[in-house]
Amino acid sequence: MSSEELIYAMALRSCPMIGDSTFRKMLAIAGSAKEAWELSGKELSKIRKIRKSVTESLGNPVYLEKAIQEIEFCEKNNIKIIYALQEKLPGLLSECEDAPVFLFQKGNFDREKNNISIVGTRNITSYGRKFVHGFLEAAKEKSIQTISGLALGVDTCVHEESLHFQIPTVAVIAHGFHLEIYPAKNRKLAEKILENQGAIFSEYSSQQSFIKENFIQRNRIVAGISPSTCIVETAFRGGAISTATFANNYNREVYALPGDINHKYSQGCNLLIAQNKASAIVDIAKLITDLGFQQTKEKQLDLFEDFKDYSKLDKDQKSVIEVIIKTPGIQLEELSEEIGIASYRLLPILLTLELETYIKTNSSKQYFPI
């Protein structure tokens, strides 16, 4: 773990005024963390909006020593250091422009599972609890992995219900692993997550102090890992709104549970739906279908098993829908390569199949069977 490049990278990232964006700009110019550490003031001036304080901290051995101490802390406490320039971040997080350079991991993250982020208010109601329970019960056989923030309320419900249905669950916390798990009420829950093949992530090192702004930053990771985010209950200005905003900015699917217009913790969800920033969750079975979880291996074996009449389809249409059934969520270029039909020829075929309700597409231009 303690390679020279990792030490220099951690030292560089711990310098004052060097955030994730500046770090990446510096490495783009220097080529490596070690070379970035040795950049001259003239070379640094090539980086747009670089601060003078950055040049003052570079080369200071104090930060190299801090990096070594951090690596030793992680090794001692069974914490994996994921360095984004050497290893892919979990889920779809690497696709996010503002993804962290470093992510610290405890436990197991299954990269083969279908990730779904579920968040909401700390003031969950029986309505929200019933939805979380019902959704996870229905989706438990779909090889899913839930992502949430270990906060009280909806997050806690998501983690607990996941454990109940033996679904791996992942918590993203807003502080380093040197601190006791926050909130204190969920310390036992955090232990259970790790005991049951789940994971806990943090972007904060053991040398960083906790500030309340960390919660918002944490939410971008929750949204960034998964292709879809569900907002269960939230007020107009609830923290879950920021998670939905991040997910929308990442061009991910967002779903919200509608509720009573007079209920405070349904108003945020209703607003997201009204502003077309989230799709309304109207039925658990439909949600699972929309998420692309509906196809089991057994179902895929018999491509034309359901009531759809495929006899009227021509050869190309049948080829297209066969691949979409086998690979739900496939995108245009992948479909073109798989079938051997040019993209411009596929588009009218796909449109016809969609209009005749054989398939559907989402905002990410992925195609699913109906």
Side-chain angles (χ1 to χ4, degrees):
M1 179 186 286
S2 53
S3 67
E4 183 181 62
E5 180 65 11
L6 179 61
I7 293 171
Y8 278 102
M10 296 194 77
L12 195 64
R13 182 60 182 82
S14 65
C15 289
M17 310 312 298
I18 298 184
D20 294 322
S21 177
T22 300
F23 179 96
R24 287 187 169 94
K25 290 177 183 177
M26 292 177 73
L27 262 68
I29 289 177
S32 72
K34 186 176 187 298
E35 291 170 326
W37 183 256
E38 298 168 350
L39 282 174
S40 67
K42 183 179 180 180
E43 291 170 316
L44 281 169
S45 66
K46 297 177 184 178
I47 304 176
R48 189 181 177 191
K49 295 182 180 179
I50 199 74
R51 294 175 181 265
K52 184 180 179 181
S53 57
V54 171
T55 63
E56 294 172 348
S57 58
L58 279 185
N60 188 333
V62 169
Y63 298 108
L64 285 173
E65 182 58 34
K66 285 186 175 182
I68 293 171
Q69 290 173 0
E70 184 63 29
I71 292 170
E72 290 174 348
F73 172 82
C74 290
E75 289 176 340
K76 181 180 179 181
N77 292 279
N78 296 316
I79 299 167
K80 179 181 179 181
I81 301 174
I82 303 175
Y83 176 29
L85 276 67
Q86 291 184 339
E87 180 180 356
K88 188 176 182 292
L89 293 169
L92 300 178
L93 194 55
S94 293
E95 298 179 8
C96 305
E97 290 185 358
D98 58 353
V101 170
F102 288 103
L103 197 63
F104 300 92
Q105 172 185 335
K106 270 194 170 186
N108 176 67
F109 179 83
D110 191 334
R111 291 179 180 264
E112 300 301 316
K113 297 286 187 182
N114 295 308
N115 296 311
I116 174 71
S117 297
I118 311 174
V119 296
T121 179
R122 288 170 171 77
N123 298 284
I124 188 172
T125 67
S126 57
Y127 173 59
R129 289 183 186 280
K130 184 177 180 181
F131 165 76
V132 172
H133 178 91
F135 170 68
L136 294 180
E137 182 177 31
K140 64 184 179 182
E141 303 298 333
K142 307 299 181 183
S143 190
I144 68 168
Q145 182 168 243
T146 59
I147 319 294
S148 200
L150 200 64
L152 299 177
V154 171
D155 293 18
T156 296
C157 182
V158 170
H159 294 307
E160 289 179 339
E161 290 293 335
S162 296
L163 293 172
H164 174 73
F165 290 114
Q166 297 183 325
I167 297 169
T169 187
V170 177
V172 185
I173 58 175
H175 56 76
F177 285 111
H178 61 300
L179 299 174
E180 293 282 358
I181 287 291
Y182 179 87
K185 289 183 178 179
N186 279 348
R187 287 173 188 166
K188 290 290 185 183
L189 177 58
E191 292 175 6
K192 289 181 181 178
I193 289 173
L194 296 177
E195 289 168 0
N196 289 272
Q197 299 301 305
I200 301 176
F201 286 123
S202 174
E203 66 175 304
Y204 301 102
S205 74
S206 67
Q207 298 167 19
Q208 291 175 275
S209 57
F210 170 75
I211 55 175
K212 64 180 182 180
E213 286 77 13
N214 290 3
F215 288 117
I216 298 297
Q217 289 295 92
R218 179 269 310 277
N219 292 347
R220 86 189 194 286
I221 296 177
V222 173
I225 291 175
S226 302
S228 303
T229 294
C230 291
I231 312 298
V232 175
E233 291 180 299
T234 186
F236 279 132
R237 296 184 180 180
I241 297 295
S242 70
T243 310
T245 301
F246 283 122
N248 276 304
N249 290 341
Y250 298 148
N251 198 29
R252 309 292 170 75
E253 293 295 320
V254 180
Y255 299 89
L257 184 67
D260 186 338
I261 61 173
N262 297 310
H263 192 277
K264 178 179 179 180
Y265 298 109
S266 286
Q267 290 173 346
C269 289
N270 293 341
L271 181 64
L272 287 170
I273 295 166
Q275 293 178 335
N276 292 319
K277 294 180 178 179
S279 299
I281 298 171
V282 296
D283 178 79
I284 287 176
K286 183 179 184 303
L287 174 60
I288 291 175
T289 299
D290 290 344
L291 289 169
F293 297 160
Q294 83 280 16
Q295 296 295 323
T296 64
K297 291 181 180 178
E298 292 74 16
K299 186 72 173 180
Q300 289 175 20
L301 291 175
D302 190 350
L303 299 181
F304 306 117
E305 183 181 273
D306 64 19
F307 62 89
K308 292 285 185 185
D309 181 7
Y310 296 94
S311 62
K312 297 178 182 179
L313 300 181
D314 63 29
K315 180 181 178 182
D316 286 345
Q317 290 172 330
K318 286 181 179 179
S319 296
V320 168
I321 199 165
E322 182 179 37
V323 173
I324 291 175
I325 291 174
K326 284 184 177 179
T327 318
I330 194 169
Q331 295 186 315
L332 179 62
E333 294 304 319
E334 297 171 326
L335 188 60
S336 174
E337 184 177 344
E338 178 73 19
I339 298 175
I341 299 177
S343 298
Y344 73 90
R345 284 188 54 212
L346 275 178
L347 287 172
I349 297 173
L350 290 166
L351 179 60
T352 299
L353 290 173
E354 189 169 2
L355 290 174
E356 295 182 3
T357 67
Y358 286 102
I359 64 170
K360 64 179 179 176
T361 186
N362 60 22
S363 60
S364 299
K365 302 302 178 186
Q366 295 174 296
Y367 292 94
F368 297 90
I370 296 178

